[in-house]
Amino acid sequence: MARSTTRRTVVTIDVSVSPAARRRQDHLTAEEPLEIRVRKKPLAVTMRTPGHDIDLAMGFLLSEGVISRAGDVTTAQLCAGTDTPNTYNVVDVVLDPSVPPPVTDPSRNFYTTSSCGVCGKASIDAVRVRSHFDVAADPMRIPARLLAGLPEKLRAAQRTFDRTGGLHAAGLFTAAGDLVVLREDVGRHNAVDKVLGWALREGRLPLTGHLLLVSGRASFELTQKAWTAGLPMLAAVSAPSTLAAELAEEAGMTLVGFLREPRMNVYTGAHRVTF
């Protein structure tokens, strides 16, 4: 199994001191390709930080509508691939015989990687078909003061970020503010897939009464992933996109951006944030 970080000698330069340069060891976030195969046929390749790769593959298949529950997967295992020495950068998933195989022809768009080039209505319609959960009816409520403090909880739980400063985080929280699970990755969408894949394998879907907090911005792809997992709330420490807000409104999801204590912007579903 590849490491999530590696050490490298760097030259650090500080023009305010003399001498200005010194050599030291620095930690870098690992970034390697992961190929996801279904029934031994390549489906997708994503650049990710090694770790929790089975969860990443399961979360990806969930958000792409290939599977909807853990029982849809017979086996999921890391494979050797063709690299020497062995890097285990391949996950092979075997679906239950009752599950239709994913479409892999060139006309098929994986919205996680190509949503920027798709018109808004087409994207939203496609996600609506894939989501199995009605989040609009979720009665979840969370106090604004409690919500404002969650980014600090997320940051405090990021172990690898402290060494590298180069990872995104996604955290699943209860309405009481308890952190259920956190995942880090060089890719924002991968961190979310790792969280959703964990929830799928643990039999927790739909994620009624929970919220997903991400360390970056709230994009369309992250909003669609949250919807496919049945999450009633997505919060981000940075800005949402226009299409993310449109999709959240369509789904009946609460979308919070610029969540930085003591402030936040609630773009949709403000009734779930109480005072």
Side-chain angles (χ1 to χ4, degrees):
M1 178 67 68
R3 294 177 296 176
S4 61
T5 64
T6 187
R7 291 170 65 88
R8 186 180 183 89
T9 301
V10 300
V11 176
T12 298
I13 299 174
D14 186 344
V15 297
S16 68
V17 300
S18 180
R22 64 185 180 92
R23 302 180 75 85
R24 66 179 182 87
Q25 291 289 303
D26 192 25
H27 288 273
L28 296 180
T29 300
E31 182 178 23
E32 296 184 7
L34 178 70
E35 181 179 286
I36 299 172
R37 296 177 182 172
V38 175
R39 293 172 179 151
K40 301 189 181 302
K41 294 183 178 180
L43 178 67
V45 175
T46 184
M47 299 303 297
R48 99 301 188 194
T49 300
H52 305 287
D53 292 328
I54 299 297
D55 287 341
L56 192 163
M58 297 281 278
F60 175 83
L61 295 177
L62 171 71
S63 61
E64 289 299 329
V66 178
I67 61 176
S68 60
R69 57 189 180 88
D72 289 340
V73 175
T74 301
T75 61
Q77 59 185 355
L78 282 164
C79 302
T82 58
D83 294 332
T84 303
N86 197 346
T87 57
Y88 290 99
N89 282 338
V90 176
V91 172
D92 187 63
V93 179
V94 177
L95 302 178
D96 185 86
S98 64
V99 180
V103 179
T104 57
D105 66 87
S107 64
R108 167 82 156 78
N109 282 311
F110 282 106
Y111 289 94
T112 55
T113 58
S114 62
S115 61
C116 293
V118 183
C119 80
K121 185 177 187 305
S123 301
I124 291 174
D125 286 347
V127 176
R128 185 192 297 112
V129 171
R130 290 210 301 271
S131 181
H132 295 272
F133 306 117
D134 178 16
V135 300
D138 195 310
M140 173 191 173
R141 299 290 187 274
I142 184 169
R145 189 173 298 276
L146 189 154
L147 181 58
L150 296 188
E152 179 58 32
K153 286 188 176 183
L154 187 76
R155 175 66 184 83
Q158 286 187 256
R159 296 179 180 179
T160 309
F161 183 88
D162 287 334
R163 299 198 302 271
T164 67
L167 285 175
H168 291 284
L172 181 67
F173 288 86
T174 67
D178 298 321
L179 178 60
V180 179
V181 65
L182 176 141
R183 293 290 183 261
E184 294 178 286
D185 199 278
V186 70
R188 294 175 305 123
H189 58 289
N190 290 335
V192 171
D193 279 341
K194 289 178 179 181
V195 168
L196 301 189
W198 173 87
L200 178 74
R201 293 198 302 111
E202 291 291 314
R204 290 174 173 254
L205 298 186
L207 289 169
T208 304
H210 290 73
L211 70 95
L212 181 68
L213 174 60
V214 295
S215 60
R217 63 186 181 89
S219 64
F220 170 84
E221 63 181 351
L222 298 192
T223 307
Q224 68 135 24
K225 289 177 184 295
W227 188 7
T228 56
L231 280 156
M233 181 178 293
L234 172 64
V237 300
S238 192
S241 68
T242 56
L243 195 53
E246 291 175 18
L247 180 60
E249 186 172 47
E250 174 75 16
M253 183 189 303
T254 299
L255 179 63
V256 179
F258 293 107
L259 181 59
R260 304 168 187 175
E261 195 170 15
R263 297 181 178 86
M264 69 194 75
N265 291 340
V266 184
Y267 293 86
T268 63
H271 63 283
R272 292 195 178 97
V273 181
T274 63
F275 297 94

